[in-house]
Amino acid sequence: MIEANKKFSVFANPKMSGGKRAKEKASRIAIYILLGVISIIWILPFLYLLIQSFAVNYQANLIIPNEWTFNNYKTLITDSVYPFWRWYINTLVIALIVSVLNTVLTLISAYAFSRLRFRTRKGYMKIILVIGMFPGFLGMIVTYYMLKQIGLANGMPGLFGLVLVYISGCVMNYYVAKGFFDTISKSLDEAAMIDGANKNTIFWKVIMPLSKPIVVYTILLAFTAPWGDYMLASVMAGGHTELYNVAVGLQQMLSKEAGTTYFPVFCAAGVVVSIPIMILFFLLQGYYVEGVTGGAVKG
């Protein structure tokens, strides 16, 4: 009856129906235009970086260079003043270690908050939520002096200290994974427990195979955090050039002494640094979106 009334009202007043359709079509076109403009604004800096990476010399008044060359990419390998590939390897090793450890610790913590019920559960969750509201750099100096006391601040030990700092606060990112685990039916846990499985077996054998989106999301989040970190990495390096990560190293290329000379090389390095992140996101973007939306369903 309701469907019949809707159809009758549409045919009874075709001008109103056509007007609504026209408004809907116009709103969609406006949204597409807005999204297109935003996309162009976002991609322009990368295009400028890509174009300038082939420039022979930096000229501030030219967007497109007069001469093109691949020597800037060769300089990244051969230059001894700024050992880019050493920075790149440092960053890659740190990012891989941190992504693995952060993913395991975050997912285990999220599963515990989602499935286990213990007396201090809500208290811990509230404390973590409040602490997460404060910027991490507020405790950077204190963290540095604490690591300095145990010999993990300067030189090669500083890299281990950097990894320790990155993984120490990973549990505070539990909430998205917890929201995803909340969407998985608890009847699966109960069925596994009837068959004799413990919590450890349930987590690895039952929950993890169903949680590929949130695993991918956590890995990407944990990988990109140390990849682009500058403040903490610059403090922990302690002035040792060979221990810089790519963010700190590229900043040195834009220093007052070398900014103009090394700007095309800096652009080439920026392109090389962005390639692994882009590949990861393009290959795993479906899982990434599904992990974010699935984790946002419940708190």
Side-chain angles (χ1 to χ4, degrees):
M1 187 65 180
I2 296 175
E3 293 295 331
N5 290 335
K6 288 183 178 179
K7 292 180 181 179
F8 178 76
S9 64
V10 171
F11 288 109
N13 195 354
K15 292 184 179 179
M16 182 180 294
S17 176
K20 288 183 178 180
R21 291 178 180 176
K23 289 182 179 179
E24 183 179 354
K25 185 176 181 180
S27 63
R28 287 184 178 180
I29 293 175
I31 291 174
Y32 292 150
I33 293 175
L34 178 62
L35 293 176
V37 172
I38 293 174
S39 300
I40 293 173
I41 294 174
W42 283 350
I43 201 172
L44 278 178
F46 180 77
L47 288 178
Y48 177 77
L49 194 74
L50 181 62
I51 292 172
Q52 289 297 326
S53 68
F54 296 102
V56 175
N57 295 310
Y58 171 64
Q59 296 179 349
N61 57 344
L62 290 180
I63 297 178
I64 299 178
N66 294 326
E67 299 181 46
W68 300 70
T69 181
F70 284 96
N71 289 334
N72 297 322
Y73 291 92
K74 295 179 181 178
T75 303
L76 295 177
I77 303 175
T78 59
D79 191 79
S80 58
V81 179
Y82 297 105
F84 172 77
W85 285 110
R86 180 64 182 271
W87 304 336
Y88 195 90
I89 293 173
N90 291 342
T91 310
L92 182 62
V93 172
I94 291 173
L96 290 175
I97 295 174
V98 170
S99 62
V100 173
L101 295 178
N102 273 16
T103 300
V104 174
L105 294 176
T106 301
L107 295 180
I108 289 176
S109 303
Y111 177 76
F113 285 125
S114 175
R115 288 296 198 266
L116 304 183
R117 295 295 181 268
F118 46 93
R119 182 178 301 176
T120 57
R121 172 177 172 271
K122 291 186 178 179
Y124 283 145
M125 293 173 64
K126 291 179 181 178
I127 291 173
I128 293 174
L129 182 62
V130 172
I131 294 176
M133 295 179 181
F134 295 93
F137 66 83
L138 291 178
M140 185 181 302
I141 302 300
V142 177
T143 302
Y144 171 77
Y145 279 105
M146 290 177 62
L147 293 174
K148 187 177 181 179
Q149 294 296 323
I150 59 177
L152 293 178
N154 292 322
M156 184 60 69
L159 296 181
F160 296 99
L162 197 61
V163 172
L164 182 62
V165 173
Y166 286 145
I167 66 175
S168 60
C170 65
V171 178
M172 298 177 64
N173 299 322
Y174 78 91
Y175 39 86
V176 177
K178 177 189 175 297
F180 187 92
F181 290 147
D182 288 340
T183 63
I184 300 177
S185 176
K186 294 182 180 179
S187 60
L188 297 175
D189 301 48
E190 297 170 354
M193 291 178 67
I194 293 175
D195 291 336
N198 55 25
K199 294 293 183 182
N200 186 53
T201 304
I202 293 173
F203 176 75
W204 293 107
K205 301 295 185 180
V206 179
I207 302 299
M208 281 296 98
L210 301 174
S211 305
K212 186 179 293 185
I214 198 62
V215 172
V216 171
Y217 166 80
T218 308
I219 290 174
L220 288 176
L221 200 66
F223 185 85
T224 55
W227 192 265
D229 179 53
Y230 170 78
M231 295 184 66
L232 184 61
S234 62
V235 173
M236 299 298 292
H240 297 272
T241 306
E242 70 280 1
L243 299 179
Y244 289 165
N245 67 351
V246 289
V248 180
L250 293 185
Q251 191 276 336
Q252 296 297 316
M253 285 186 181
L254 294 181
S255 61
K256 185 176 181 180
E257 296 78 12
T260 304
T261 304
Y262 275 87
F263 185 79
V265 181
F266 165 83
C267 294
V271 173
V272 174
V273 168
S274 64
I275 289 175
I277 303 297
M278 289 192 298
I279 292 175
L280 284 175
F281 272 97
F282 285 144
L283 293 178
L284 305 174
Q285 61 179 339
Y287 294 113
Y288 181 84
V289 174
E290 188 176 348
V292 174
T293 55
V297 174
K298 297 182 180 180

